[in-house]
Amino acid sequence: DIQMTQSPSNLSASVGDRVTITCRASQSISSYLAWYQQKPGKAPKLLIYKASSLESGVPSRFSGSGSGTEFTLTISSLQPDDFATYYCQQYNSYWTFGQGTKVEIK
Amino acid sequence: EVQLVESGGGLVQPGGSLKLSCAASGFTFSGSAMHWFRQASGKGLEWVGRVRSKIYNYATTYDESVKGRFTISRDDSQNTVYLQMNSLKTEDTAVYYCARQGYTQAFDPWGQGTLVTVSS
C-alpha cells in the first residue's frame, strides 16, 4: 500500500498569509495526486488534480506542485473561506489519503 | 447540476446489515466509475470500494478491511449505486460518502454523506 504523509497536521495562519502544505508518498506516484478541501459536516471538495491542475471554479490563489514523492499545496493569500481541513490523495495505485491538515485562524 | 445524494444510513447492531444508496443526477452516470469512501468522527478519509462501468463488466474492487463483508452494485437505469454492508463491526461506524471518479481520475462530485452507527 502507498502511504501518504501530510505536514503539518495543524496550521495557524492569518487572512492574507501565504500557506504551504506538504504531502509525501511512500513510493513514486508520478503526478497522480489530488488535493481536497473539507469543511466541518461537509463533503470533500476537489481543488487540484494531477498534482498541479486547478479544478474548474476553484480560485486561482490555490496551486499545486510536485511529482514523484513530494507535493505541495499553496494558498497564495489566505481568505476567510479557506479555513478548513485539506487532504492529499494518491490515485496511482488504488486510493489513499493523507491524514489531513487543519488550517485554523491565528 | 451535477449531484450525488446518499441515503440509507442509521443505527445497526454489530453483526447486522445495512444498504446505502447514492442517487446521481446531472451527468452520464452509466459511463462513470463510482466509489464509496468513509470517515469516522474526527478522523481522515478512507477508501471503501469501487464499481466500474458496463464496458468494464461492472468490475468491483474493495479495501481489505471490508472485503467479503461489503458489496457495491449499481443500477444504471436508476442512476444509483449501492453499498450493501453485512457483518457490520463497531469500527465500521462512520459517515459514508459516494463519489464519481471523473475523467481527471480524481473525485468530483461527492455526496453529502450518510451516517452509519454500529452499536449495541
Side-chain angles (χ1 to χ4, degrees), chain A residues 12-91:
Chain A
S12 294
S14 301
V15 172
D17 284 353
R18 182 181 181 89
V19 168
T20 298
I21 299 168
T22 298
C23 180
R24 291 186 174 87
S26 60
Q27 64 189 74
S28 177
I29 58 170
S30 184
S31 295
Y32 297 115
L33 184 102
W35 289 97
Y36 298 86
Q37 177 193 68
Q38 187 179 34
K39 296 181 178 180
K42 300 295 186 181
K45 174 188 173 183
L46 177 64
L47 300 175
I48 302 283
Y49 62 92
K50 207 171 182 184
S52 61
S53 296
L54 191 68
E55 174 71 355
S56 176
V58 174
S60 59
R61 63 181 179 271
F62 291 93
S63 64
S65 64
S67 66
T69 61
E70 296 266 340
F71 302 88
T72 60
L73 172 70
T74 299
I75 308 172
S76 61
S77 178
L78 198 65
Q79 298 302 301
D81 191 49
D82 301 338
F83 292 96
T85 299
Y86 294 84
Y87 292 94
C88 62
Q89 179 205 35
Q90 68 82 20
Y91 49 96

Side-chain angles (χ1 to χ4, degrees), chain B residues 58-116:
Chain B
Y58 303 120
T60 54
T61 310
Y62 302 94
D63 185 77
E64 286 295 325
S65 65
V66 306
K67 195 175 291 184
R69 300 188 299 121
F70 290 11
T71 302
I72 300 174
S73 61
R74 62 190 296 162
D75 182 343
D76 290 347
S77 69
Q78 297 293 319
N79 287 349
T80 301
V81 61
Y82 304 97
L83 178 63
Q84 175 68 49
M85 303 182 292
N86 299 329
S87 303
L88 282 160
K89 306 175 181 180
T90 55
E91 54 262 42
D92 295 319
T93 295
V95 174
Y96 284 73
Y97 296 99
C98 61
R100 175 188 67 170
Q101 186 174 8
Y103 73 94
T104 65
Q105 300 304 303
F107 295 93
D108 178 73
W110 294 61
Q112 84 286 359
T114 187
L115 177 62
V116 173

